[in-house]
Amino acid sequence: MAEHEEKHEESLFEKISEKIKGDSSSSSSDSDDDKPSESSMKAKVFRLFGREKPVHHVLGGGKQADIFLWRNKKVSAGALSVATVIWVLFELFEYHLLTLVCHLLILALALLFLWSNASTFIHKSPPRIPEVQIPKDPVLEFAQALRFEINRALAVLREIASGRDIKKFLSVIAGLWVLSIVGNWCNFLTLLYIVFVLLHTVPVLYEKYEDKVDPFAEKAWHEINKQYAVFDAKVLSKIPRGPLKKKD
């Protein structure tokens, strides 16, 4: 009888302890649900240009983003080296595009011609020249993408010229003015090379130090908005706007 009572007390004690543990775990889960999730906290953090996705996704993802972010160092270094060689040939050595293409074709055709005729004397197989054709689908996709971007740019320019958005108008005018100044400093090829180098350096540095860059960008953005609000209240609000769209 005594042993039976002791076992009954032990089982009752175990049930009570399990009940307490279950209540504590449920209360802790409820408290965790009440707390904001880590993802929602991260979503509230200021990111440059208002982005909510990783830098890799902003750059379009895929192979081009891998090249810009140096995921494959050999490919990224190779692309940057080829761009540097092209810039050196055209800018420092003052090579012309047509001259360079003709010289490369002359060299390639001469080597292949000599190799094809000399193979019979040296008892080696002639070179296998592959049949190169431009595929149809990538060309059509590129043309459609280019057409879409041009139409979107024309729509934006039409909206700006209508005079309804002064902020966007001033932003575009300032950008074009800065671009015209840069155009006086260097030619188009040098500008393309500078943009290419920036694409291979700025994104990877920003991805590495984004936690330090974003707070400074947030302060600068707030200050720009503050100054724009003052300028809008004193100047822009007094400028007559273009005709508004009629609602159907």
Side-chain angles (χ1 to χ4, degrees):
M1 291 292 292
E3 293 179 356
H4 179 71
E5 290 178 356
E6 288 179 357
K7 291 180 179 180
H8 180 70
E9 290 177 356
E10 289 178 357
S11 62
L12 182 61
F13 179 75
E14 289 177 356
K15 290 180 180 179
I16 294 173
S17 61
E18 289 177 358
K19 179 65 176 176
I20 294 173
K21 289 180 180 179
D23 294 339
S24 61
S25 62
S26 62
S27 62
S28 62
S29 63
D30 293 339
S31 61
D32 292 339
D33 294 337
D34 294 337
K35 293 180 181 179
S37 62
E38 186 178 358
S39 60
S40 62
M41 291 294 291
K42 288 182 179 180
K44 295 179 181 179
V45 177
F46 178 87
R47 293 300 181 189
L48 198 61
F49 305 119
R51 65 178 182 85
E52 297 179 356
K53 298 178 181 178
V55 180
H56 187 274
H57 193 279
V58 173
L59 292 175
K63 294 182 179 179
Q64 68 271 14
D66 293 339
I67 293 174
F68 293 145
L69 295 176
W70 292 76
R71 296 286 193 266
N72 191 338
K73 294 182 179 180
K74 292 182 179 180
V75 177
S76 300
L80 191 59
S81 301
V82 170
T84 303
V85 169
I86 293 174
W87 180 77
V88 169
L89 285 175
F90 288 118
E91 290 300 318
L92 299 185
F93 295 158
E94 296 183 352
Y95 240 96
H96 297 285
L97 178 60
L98 183 60
T99 304
L100 179 63
V101 171
C102 291
H103 286 177
L104 290 176
L105 287 176
I106 290 172
L107 180 62
L109 291 175
L111 290 175
L112 291 174
F113 181 81
L114 292 175
W115 188 4
S116 299
N117 287 277
S119 60
T120 57
F121 299 100
I122 59 179
H123 303 289
K124 287 187 177 182
S125 60
R128 295 181 179 179
I129 303 174
E131 184 179 354
V132 180
Q133 292 182 352
I134 299 176
K136 180 181 179 181
D137 293 337
V139 175
L140 293 178
E141 291 177 0
F142 175 77
Q144 290 178 357
L146 182 62
R147 172 181 169 274
F148 175 77
E149 294 297 333
I150 292 175
N151 289 335
R152 188 171 66 172
L154 292 175
V156 171
L157 292 176
R158 181 179 179 276
E159 183 182 357
I160 293 171
S162 63
R164 287 187 291 270
D165 193 344
I166 297 180
K167 185 177 181 180
K168 186 181 292 186
F169 169 76
L170 293 177
S171 300
V172 172
I173 293 298
L176 292 175
W177 180 67
V178 171
L179 191 61
S180 66
I181 294 176
V182 174
N184 288 329
W185 295 342
C186 57
N187 57 20
F188 186 68
L189 180 61
T190 303
L191 181 61
L192 287 180
Y193 177 69
I194 292 173
V195 172
F196 192 78
V197 172
L198 290 177
L199 286 174
H200 277 76
T201 53
V202 174
V204 65
L205 291 176
Y206 172 70
E207 186 184 41
K208 187 177 181 180
Y209 301 105
E210 62 179 344
D211 293 334
K212 298 180 180 179
V213 174
D214 287 339
F216 291 102
E218 183 178 10
K219 294 178 182 178
W221 182 250
H222 288 326
E223 186 64 27
I224 291 172
N225 286 333
K226 188 186 297 183
Q227 296 298 327
Y228 175 78
V230 174
F231 182 69
D232 186 22
K234 293 183 178 180
V235 179
L236 298 182
S237 60
K238 300 178 181 179
I239 299 176
R241 305 295 177 91
L244 298 175
K245 291 182 178 179
K246 294 181 180 180
K247 296 182 179 181
D248 296 335

